[in-house]
Amino acid sequence: KQWYQRRVAITAGRRNYDTYFEKYGDSLFTMSYILQTVTEQLNSNEMYNEVKSFFKTNKPGTGEPGLTAGLEQIAENIRWKKNHRHKCRNFFFTYARKHAKGKN
């Protein structure tokens, strides 16, 4: 479900970017906040590349610091997922098996 919500947010952001930029592009903190908030939850190489590609043709204006922070966070999310996803999965499966046996 989360991947779908992220995809919807990114798609809506791309479709309406000109409107956001026109309204908030001169506001240092607002544009930066919007770009960081939308991008920082992403966690795949595909999404990282989509964001990078989008901003090759669309200027972030005063949102550059937020975009930079968002891209750094996406990269960190990708690294974390790569390094820890299997550990979390194993923990939850082990925990579920242990507690499921006690309920029988």
Side-chain angles (χ1 to χ4, degrees):
K1 185 175 179 177
Q2 284 183 339
W3 68 267
Y4 180 75
Q5 293 167 338
R6 290 179 188 135
R7 173 61 66 188
V8 168
I10 290 296
T11 301
R14 278 197 313 250
R15 281 189 189 142
N16 299 304
Y17 186 74
D18 291 338
T19 302
Y20 295 138
F21 189 79
E22 184 179 312
K23 188 170 184 173
Y24 303 112
D26 293 332
S27 171
L28 177 60
F29 299 110
T30 304
M31 195 62 182
S32 190
Y33 176 78
I34 290 170
L35 294 179
Q36 184 172 356
T37 301
V38 170
T39 57
E40 70 184 356
Q41 298 298 314
L42 305 175
N43 62 6
S44 72
N45 287 319
E46 174 191 3
M47 296 305 274
Y48 180 89
N49 292 333
E50 276 189 44
V51 171
K52 289 281 282 188
S53 177
F54 180 81
F55 284 102
K56 285 182 180 177
T57 57
N58 295 278
K59 57 185 177 177
T62 58
E64 183 72 38
L67 176 61
T68 300
L71 288 169
E72 289 171 358
Q73 188 60 52
I74 297 170
E76 181 58 33
N77 293 345
I78 293 167
R79 280 190 297 276
W80 190 93
K81 190 168 77 171
K82 180 181 176 184
N83 293 328
H84 300 288
R85 186 177 204 173
H86 67 284
K87 294 175 190 174
C88 292
R89 183 173 180 252
N90 289 342
F91 169 79
F92 287 116
F93 280 129
T94 301
Y95 181 83
R97 267 186 254 133
K98 178 180 174 184
H99 289 283
K101 288 179 184 178
K103 300 234 181 214
N104 291 334

